[in-house]
PDB file of all heavy atoms in Angstrom:
ATOM      1  N   ASP A 592      12.993  10.744  -7.202  1.00  0.00           N
ATOM      2  CA  ASP A 592      12.889   9.345  -6.794  1.00  0.00           C
ATOM      3  C   ASP A 592      13.752   9.013  -5.587  1.00  0.00           C
ATOM      4  O   ASP A 592      13.646   7.907  -5.047  1.00  0.00           O
ATOM      5  CB  ASP A 592      13.265   8.434  -7.962  1.00  0.00           C
ATOM      6  CG  ASP A 592      12.167   8.372  -9.008  1.00  0.00           C
ATOM      7  OD1 ASP A 592      10.997   8.618  -8.649  1.00  0.00           O
ATOM      8  OD2 ASP A 592      12.471   8.088 -10.184  1.00  0.00           O
ATOM      9  N   VAL A 593      14.572   9.939  -5.158  1.00  0.00           N
ATOM     10  CA  VAL A 593      15.322   9.744  -3.910  1.00  0.00           C
ATOM     11  C   VAL A 593      14.435  10.114  -2.725  1.00  0.00           C
ATOM     12  O   VAL A 593      14.344   9.380  -1.740  1.00  0.00           O
ATOM     13  CB  VAL A 593      16.602  10.589  -3.903  1.00  0.00           C
ATOM     14  CG1 VAL A 593      17.300  10.494  -2.549  1.00  0.00           C
ATOM     15  CG2 VAL A 593      17.537  10.132  -5.021  1.00  0.00           C
ATOM     16  N   LYS A 594      13.739  11.236  -2.850  1.00  0.00           N
ATOM     17  CA  LYS A 594      12.844  11.687  -1.788  1.00  0.00           C
ATOM     18  C   LYS A 594      11.447  11.118  -1.945  1.00  0.00           C
ATOM     19  O   LYS A 594      10.612  11.293  -1.047  1.00  0.00           O
ATOM     20  CB  LYS A 594      12.782  13.212  -1.780  1.00  0.00           C
ATOM     21  CG  LYS A 594      14.108  13.896  -1.489  1.00  0.00           C
ATOM     22  CD  LYS A 594      13.947  15.402  -1.489  1.00  0.00           C
ATOM     23  CE  LYS A 594      15.266  16.092  -1.187  1.00  0.00           C
ATOM     24  NZ  LYS A 594      15.138  17.574  -1.214  1.00  0.00           N
ATOM     25  N   ASN A 595      11.178  10.449  -3.073  1.00  0.00           N
ATOM     26  CA  ASN A 595       9.844   9.901  -3.356  1.00  0.00           C
ATOM     27  C   ASN A 595       8.779  10.991  -3.324  1.00  0.00           C
ATOM     28  O   ASN A 595       7.747  10.867  -2.637  1.00  0.00           O
ATOM     29  CB  ASN A 595       9.496   8.779  -2.379  1.00  0.00           C
ATOM     30  CG  ASN A 595      10.440   7.600  -2.506  1.00  0.00           C
ATOM     31  OD1 ASN A 595      10.781   7.184  -3.615  1.00  0.00           O
ATOM     32  ND2 ASN A 595      10.884   7.064  -1.387  1.00  0.00           N
ATOM     33  N   THR A 596       9.044  12.056  -4.042  1.00  0.00           N
ATOM     34  CA  THR A 596       8.109  13.161  -4.108  1.00  0.00           C
ATOM     35  C   THR A 596       7.805  13.506  -5.567  1.00  0.00           C
ATOM     36  O   THR A 596       8.596  13.217  -6.471  1.00  0.00           O
ATOM     37  CB  THR A 596       8.653  14.415  -3.409  1.00  0.00           C
ATOM     38  OG1 THR A 596       9.892  14.799  -4.028  1.00  0.00           O
ATOM     39  CG2 THR A 596       8.902  14.150  -1.924  1.00  0.00           C
ATOM     40  N   VAL A 597       6.678  14.147  -5.766  1.00  0.00           N
ATOM     41  CA  VAL A 597       6.328  14.711  -7.060  1.00  0.00           C
ATOM     42  C   VAL A 597       5.763  16.099  -6.811  1.00  0.00           C
ATOM     43  O   VAL A 597       4.992  16.302  -5.861  1.00  0.00           O
ATOM     44  CB  VAL A 597       5.327  13.819  -7.833  1.00  0.00           C
ATOM     45  CG1 VAL A 597       4.013  13.677  -7.087  1.00  0.00           C
ATOM     46  CG2 VAL A 597       5.116  14.347  -9.244  1.00  0.00           C
ATOM     47  N   THR A 598       6.178  17.044  -7.627  1.00  0.00           N
ATOM     48  CA  THR A 598       5.785  18.437  -7.452  1.00  0.00           C
ATOM     49  C   THR A 598       5.192  18.958  -8.746  1.00  0.00           C
ATOM     50  O   THR A 598       5.662  18.630  -9.835  1.00  0.00           O
ATOM     51  CB  THR A 598       6.996  19.294  -7.047  1.00  0.00           C
ATOM     52  OG1 THR A 598       7.511  18.812  -5.796  1.00  0.00           O
ATOM     53  CG2 THR A 598       6.602  20.749  -6.894  1.00  0.00           C
ATOM     54  N   LEU A 599       4.156  19.764  -8.610  1.00  0.00           N
ATOM     55  CA  LEU A 599       3.530  20.411  -9.758  1.00  0.00           C
ATOM     56  C   LEU A 599       3.678  21.914  -9.580  1.00  0.00           C
ATOM     57  O   LEU A 599       3.099  22.492  -8.659  1.00  0.00           O
ATOM     58  CB  LEU A 599       2.062  20.028  -9.859  1.00  0.00           C
ATOM     59  CG  LEU A 599       1.315  20.532 -11.095  1.00  0.00           C
ATOM     60  CD1 LEU A 599       1.845  19.840 -12.347  1.00  0.00           C
ATOM     61  CD2 LEU A 599      -0.190  20.289 -10.951  1.00  0.00           C
ATOM     62  N   GLU A 600       4.487  22.528 -10.434  1.00  0.00           N
ATOM     63  CA  GLU A 600       4.629  23.974 -10.449  1.00  0.00           C
ATOM     64  C   GLU A 600       3.619  24.539 -11.433  1.00  0.00           C
ATOM     65  O   GLU A 600       3.605  24.146 -12.599  1.00  0.00           O
ATOM     66  CB  GLU A 600       6.051  24.364 -10.873  1.00  0.00           C
ATOM     67  CG  GLU A 600       7.142  23.835  -9.972  1.00  0.00           C
ATOM     68  CD  GLU A 600       7.290  24.645  -8.693  1.00  0.00           C
ATOM     69  OE1 GLU A 600       6.674  25.734  -8.588  1.00  0.00           O
ATOM     70  OE2 GLU A 600       7.997  24.177  -7.782  1.00  0.00           O
ATOM     71  N   MET A 601       2.798  25.472 -10.966  1.00  0.00           N
ATOM     72  CA  MET A 601       1.715  26.005 -11.787  1.00  0.00           C
ATOM     73  C   MET A 601       1.920  27.502 -11.981  1.00  0.00           C
ATOM     74  O   MET A 601       1.942  28.255 -10.990  1.00  0.00           O
ATOM     75  CB  MET A 601       0.372  25.727 -11.112  1.00  0.00           C
ATOM     76  CG  MET A 601       0.130  24.241 -10.875  1.00  0.00           C
ATOM     77  SD  MET A 601      -1.419  23.904 -10.012  1.00  0.00           S
ATOM     78  CE  MET A 601      -0.970  24.405  -8.349  1.00  0.00           C
ATOM     79  N   ASN A 602       2.087  27.908 -13.220  1.00  0.00           N
ATOM     80  CA  ASN A 602       2.288  29.315 -13.556  1.00  0.00           C
ATOM     81  C   ASN A 602       1.150  29.816 -14.432  1.00  0.00           C
ATOM     82  O   ASN A 602       0.440  29.021 -15.051  1.00  0.00           O
ATOM     83  CB  ASN A 602       3.627  29.494 -14.282  1.00  0.00           C
ATOM     84  CG  ASN A 602       4.809  29.101 -13.430  1.00  0.00           C
ATOM     85  OD1 ASN A 602       4.923  29.518 -12.275  1.00  0.00           O
ATOM     86  ND2 ASN A 602       5.703  28.292 -13.978  1.00  0.00           N
ATOM     87  N   ASN A 603       1.016  31.128 -14.479  1.00  0.00           N
ATOM     88  CA  ASN A 603      -0.025  31.760 -15.293  1.00  0.00           C
ATOM     89  C   ASN A 603      -1.378  31.090 -15.038  1.00  0.00           C
ATOM     90  O   ASN A 603      -2.086  30.706 -15.982  1.00  0.00           O
ATOM     91  CB  ASN A 603       0.343  31.694 -16.775  1.00  0.00           C
ATOM     92  CG  ASN A 603      -0.562  32.538 -17.646  1.00  0.00           C
ATOM     93  OD1 ASN A 603      -1.216  33.464 -17.165  1.00  0.00           O
ATOM     94  ND2 ASN A 603      -0.622  32.216 -18.923  1.00  0.00           N
TER      95      ASN A 603
END
Side-chain angles (χ1 to χ4, degrees):
D592 285 335
V593 174
K594 298 181 180 179
N595 297 317
T596 59
V597 62
T598 299
L599 186 68
E600 300 282 350
M601 302 177 285
N602 298 311
N603 190 21

